[in-house]
Amino acid sequence: MAVGAQRSQVVWMVLRDSLILTAIGVVVGLPLAALVAKALASALYGVTPYDALSYWLAAVGVAMVAMIASIVPARRAASVNPLSALRAE
């Protein structure tokens, strides 16, 4: 904000970084979960090892938790006084 960014730009910058990390985690985690699902097939009750709905809900749940967890630091970053931030640097 000290160099001209608006509040919404600062919030989006923090949220975007978090969502990129979340997307990487989901992209890496879903194939790994599919590999492990075959080994755990006997422990799953009422769900097939490759149930698309379960994978989709897990990915959406992780994304929602990441978004909610990122809102607090994003709002905090947007509320910092630019002058005090420049003095701290």
Side-chain angles (χ1 to χ4, degrees):
M1 290 174 50
V3 292
Q6 299 296 320
R7 266 186 130 80
S8 61
Q9 292 171 321
V10 173
V11 169
W12 174 243
M13 183 178 59
V14 174
L15 288 176
R16 183 187 64 216
D17 290 344
S18 174
L19 292 177
I20 288 171
L21 289 174
T22 302
I24 292 169
V26 168
V27 167
V28 170
L30 285 177
L32 291 175
L35 290 173
V36 173
K38 186 69 172 172
L40 295 176
S42 64
L44 299 173
Y45 178 74
V47 179
T48 62
Y50 302 113
D51 184 25
L53 180 63
S54 296
Y55 286 109
W56 186 81
L57 288 175
V60 169
V62 167
M64 287 177 56
V65 168
M67 181 69 116
I68 292 168
S70 300
I71 288 174
V72 173
R75 292 188 68 185
R76 186 175 299 150
S79 67
V80 170
N81 183 3
L83 190 57
S84 63
L86 286 174
R87 286 184 185 156
E89 293 293 323

